[in-house]
Amino acid sequence: MNLIRCSNKTAALLCVVALLATAGTASAFSVSAEGVPSETAVDEEVSVTYTIDDPFTDAPNEWTLAGSTELQNVSWTVTVLRAGDQVNQETYGDQSFEQGLDIDNNGDQVRIELVGTTQAVSNYTYEPPESYQVASLSRISGNNEDEFRNDTAHHYTEESQAARQAIDDAQAAIDEAGGNAEAEDLVSSAVSSYENGNFQNAQDLAGQAESQAQQAQQSAQTQRTLLMVGGGLVVLLLLVGGGYYAYTQMGGDDYSKL
């Protein structure tokens, strides 16, 4: 009898553990992305895929999926799937779209494929770098709108990227030199030129700043070397002088003995 009771208790305990484990791994509304860039050149094509898993878990049974982007020449493809099989697919050609989703459609996954080209830069800023909205995705239910994804990326032209790189290199040289007021002023002027769209002037000023910082660093290194050499000479002279003094003292003692 005791063995039977023990077995029943063990079985009950295992059931509780299994239920807790199942509850701990329960699915939930989530979104993942592939292909989101950190930066792109103007007119470069961008292709991003977002995947919403369990769209009705911890969410209303009916809600509206809204998407927007600042990409140009846009194409959205929204596919609703159930266990990997396509239930519904819609395509949109504007920078924004809305699509109603309903749990009765039996969808357990929504895939959003976005393709477009990078927009032109309207306002150049060195810090923070100029950016655009790759995509924003929201869940709308009644009067409530919940943005669950928002991706941005830095965009640039060949000229602006070259100017930015020159400024970055100049600032790195200044930091390595331990700072230099004249070079810092040149970098500030380069940044101003950059933000005004005068990229060639920004490059020229940044190049001057980098040269100034490198010269200052070389000068500081030369001074340190001279100080070390001078210090070594002083030590050497002290040693020689000390040795000579000791020698003369020893010589004086020998003479007095004679």
Side-chain angles (χ1 to χ4, degrees):
M1 289 293 290
N2 290 338
L3 182 59
I4 293 173
R5 289 196 189 96
C6 183
S7 298
N8 289 339
K9 289 180 180 178
T10 301
L13 180 61
L14 289 174
C15 288
V16 171
V17 171
L19 287 171
L20 289 174
T22 303
T25 57
S27 59
F29 182 101
S30 64
V31 60
S32 58
E34 293 181 5
V36 178
S38 59
E39 61 177 17
T40 57
V42 171
D43 293 331
E44 179 181 344
E45 184 176 270
V46 176
S47 180
V48 183
T49 300
Y50 294 97
T51 302
I52 303 172
D53 289 310
D54 302 301
F56 302 105
T57 304
D58 300 325
N61 290 342
E62 295 182 20
W63 55 276
T64 299
L65 171 65
S68 63
T69 181
E70 290 182 343
L71 291 169
Q72 308 292 313
N73 307 314
V74 176
S75 172
W76 303 86
T77 301
V78 181
T79 307
V80 180
L81 303 106
R82 175 68 181 178
D85 295 327
Q86 180 177 312
V87 175
N88 180 57
Q89 187 177 83
E90 300 289 344
T91 302
Y92 306 93
D94 296 326
Q95 286 185 307
S96 62
F97 78 92
E98 290 188 1
Q99 178 171 323
L101 299 176
D102 190 333
I103 195 171
D104 292 336
N105 291 334
N106 296 319
D108 60 7
Q109 189 179 78
V110 180
R111 185 179 302 144
I112 305 120
E113 297 171 275
L114 168 64
V115 179
T117 55
T118 305
Q119 68 164 353
V121 182
S122 59
N123 182 36
Y124 286 96
T125 56
Y126 177 73
E127 190 63 42
E130 52 280 326
S131 63
Y132 69 97
Q133 184 184 71
V134 177
S136 169
L137 298 176
S138 300
R139 182 174 59 196
I140 302 173
S141 179
N143 295 323
N144 298 320
E145 181 171 353
D146 176 27
E147 183 182 65
F148 57 85
R149 187 82 192 198
N150 191 340
D151 292 309
T152 60
H154 167 56
H155 55 159
Y156 59 88
T157 63
E158 183 178 348
E159 294 79 9
S160 71
Q161 188 77 335
R164 177 178 289 277
Q165 187 60 56
I167 295 172
D168 289 346
D169 291 344
Q171 190 58 59
I174 292 170
D175 293 340
E176 188 175 349
N180 182 274
E182 185 176 343
E184 289 280 9
D185 289 342
L186 286 168
V187 165
S188 295
S189 297
V191 169
S192 295
S193 291
Y194 175 90
E195 294 183 340
N196 287 324
N198 192 344
F199 302 123
Q200 186 56 58
N201 191 50
Q203 277 189 267
D204 293 341
L205 290 168
Q208 294 174 34
E210 185 176 6
S211 297
Q212 175 64 31
Q214 290 172 343
Q215 290 172 8
Q217 185 180 22
Q218 290 172 358
S219 177
Q221 288 174 343
T222 300
Q223 287 183 336
R224 285 195 294 270
T225 301
L226 289 174
L227 287 172
M228 290 176 63
V229 171
L233 287 173
V234 170
V235 171
L236 180 61
L237 288 172
L238 288 172
L239 289 173
V240 171
Y244 178 75
Y245 176 77
Y247 173 77
T248 55
Q249 290 297 104
M250 291 176 62
D253 290 343
D254 293 342
Y255 181 78
S256 64
K257 289 178 182 179
L258 291 173

